[in-house]
Amino acid sequence: MDVSLEVSFLGGPQPQRGVGVVAPFDFALDRELWRWVPDDVSLRLTRTPYVPVEVSLDLARVVSEHETLCEAVRALGETEPEVVAYACTSGSFVGGLAGERAMVEAMSSAGDVPSVTTSGALLEALDELGARRIALVTPYTESVTRSLEEYLGEAGVTVTGRAFLGLTRHIWKVPYRSVVDMARQAVVGAADALFISCTNLPTYDAIPQLEAELRMPVLSANQVTMWAALRRVGVHAVGPYQQLLIQPEPRPQSPLEARLEDGLEVRLDESLEAGFEAGLDELGSPEATPPLPPVPPLPPVPPVPPVPPIAPAASAAAPAGPADPQADPSQLPPFPPTPTDEQEGWA
């Protein structure tokens, strides 16, 4: 007996839009990136080659060399991504604004697709929110944190407060509790937003809690990277209770728009169309239509004669007649005498 499973009825798989991601060799949060991606988009990740250097400005420079990035982008090209993102904050801010722009140009040339970096996406997100004063959280050492502040200052963004962990490895192992505690320490002044740096620092589930507690937008490295990359291809990143990802409420759709959206054509009644066209034919062109004669003025209205006064009516004398007994009680006849008991026969 043939027991082979017939799977032709399944169809698919459904087409997927590709987003290429170049990450540093120690990146360990692939699953977090996927959480911002809708179902019809697929991430195609690759990593830079391993180098025996701890997290530092030196490592940031090594993993952001153009030759390294271009080789990774060309490898991703076989998967036909529509956009490529470099998912590394320190590697994209270490060269300042000019270095970040040069990095994007090199990646775009190598892959012939739009490219973004985490640090460039951060500035784009801050512009989107209108935030120019931010609180800053990083897992870096003080020197790397200071370099990020210099990058932000070059872009006209002021850091109002900061907190950093001073880590040089195993950043992906930091728990959410530590991220939240650092955020509370960093927000010490009037800030428009909070930024949590490093794509290797877990943040997805901490963002809604911090936004509710701090009453301000909270951005993270992985969030802005996915948001900007998907935006390049006209796709919205997904994520509950994250202010950057909130889409404006669509206005109510009219019944006519709904019918048009369903593919139905709205037409005038044929008889009305025919009558309208016939009327246009009769009118002819505006130049051939003679002008209307001027309207003659109306004759003046004669004045209304005054109404003569009405003479008062003469009062008539009331006819003589019997007096009204109700008007004068003295005119009523006397009552007959009341009979006694003997007269009534009761004795």
Side-chain angles (χ1 to χ4, degrees):
M1 182 176 64
D2 184 10
V3 293
S4 61
L5 178 63
E6 178 60 49
V7 296
S8 60
F9 67 90
L10 292 176
Q14 297 300 318
Q16 293 281 298
R17 305 185 69 175
V19 173
V21 178
V22 179
F25 64 88
D26 63 343
F27 180 72
L29 297 183
D30 304 54
R31 177 59 189 147
E32 176 161 288
L33 290 183
W34 277 94
R35 297 181 74 180
W36 277 289
V37 179
D39 291 341
D40 61 343
V41 175
S42 180
L43 298 182
R44 289 87 187 260
L45 281 87
T46 190
R47 285 167 169 76
T48 61
Y50 168 78
V51 290
V53 181
E54 293 184 332
V55 177
S56 61
L57 291 176
D58 290 336
L59 179 61
R61 295 185 184 99
V62 170
V63 297
S64 62
E65 292 177 350
H66 289 189
E67 183 178 352
T68 300
L69 291 179
C70 291
E71 184 176 348
V73 171
R74 282 191 289 268
L76 286 173
E78 288 300 311
T79 65
E80 300 180 352
E82 297 181 42
V83 62
V84 173
Y86 179 47
C88 180
T89 320
S90 61
S92 54
F93 69 63
V94 69
L97 293 180
E100 192 275 335
R101 284 192 290 265
M103 192 179 303
V104 170
E105 291 176 3
M107 294 170 61
S108 298
S109 299
D112 197 24
V113 292
S115 300
V116 299
T117 71
T118 299
S119 296
L122 167 61
L123 298 183
E124 187 177 336
L126 292 176
D127 286 341
E128 179 76 9
L129 297 172
R132 308 312 298 167
R133 296 168 57 84
I134 69 168
L136 185 61
V137 167
T138 86
Y140 311 134
T141 60
E142 183 178 357
S143 60
V144 180
T145 302
R146 191 182 305 115
S147 180
L148 173 54
E149 290 191 40
E150 291 171 358
Y151 172 82
L152 292 167
E154 191 179 355
V157 179
T158 302
V159 175
T160 60
R162 71 201 52 75
F164 56 91
L165 287 176
L167 298 180
T168 59
R169 57 186 310 206
H170 296 167
I171 292 174
W172 72 87
K173 295 181 180 180
V174 175
Y176 282 144
R177 182 183 300 275
S178 297
V179 175
V180 171
D181 289 342
M182 282 196 298
R184 292 167 177 159
Q185 297 171 24
V187 181
V188 293
D192 302 321
L194 167 71
F195 175 59
I196 305 172
S197 189
C198 189
T199 54
N200 228 5
L201 185 64
T203 58
Y204 186 92
D205 294 309
I207 292 175
Q209 175 185 341
L210 286 172
E211 287 196 335
E213 178 180 334
L214 302 176
R215 304 296 181 181
M216 66 176 62
V218 175
L219 308 176
S220 78
N222 282 332
Q223 178 206 50
V224 298
T225 303
M226 288 295 95
W227 170 80
L230 293 169
R231 198 183 196 198
R232 294 295 188 278
V233 294
V235 176
H236 293 287
V238 296
Y241 309 109
Q242 299 180 28
Q243 189 162 335
L244 178 65
L245 311 184
I246 295 176
Q247 301 179 37
E249 290 291 334
R251 66 177 179 83
Q253 193 179 50
S254 69
L256 176 60
E257 290 173 327
R259 293 177 64 190
L260 290 174
E261 188 173 286
D262 293 338
L264 300 176
E265 295 184 358
V266 180
R267 297 177 179 270
L268 291 172
D269 183 81
E270 291 183 1
S271 60
L272 292 178
E273 278 192 13
F276 180 71
E277 292 176 358
L280 289 179
D281 292 339
E282 290 180 5
L283 288 175
S285 63
E287 294 79 5
T289 304
L292 294 175
V295 179
L298 294 174
V301 179
V304 179
V307 179
I310 301 175
S315 58
D324 185 1
Q326 294 183 359
D328 187 1
S330 62
Q331 301 296 324
L332 295 175
F335 285 102
T338 304
T340 64
D341 291 340
E342 295 179 354
Q343 293 174 337
E344 288 289 341
W346 292 98

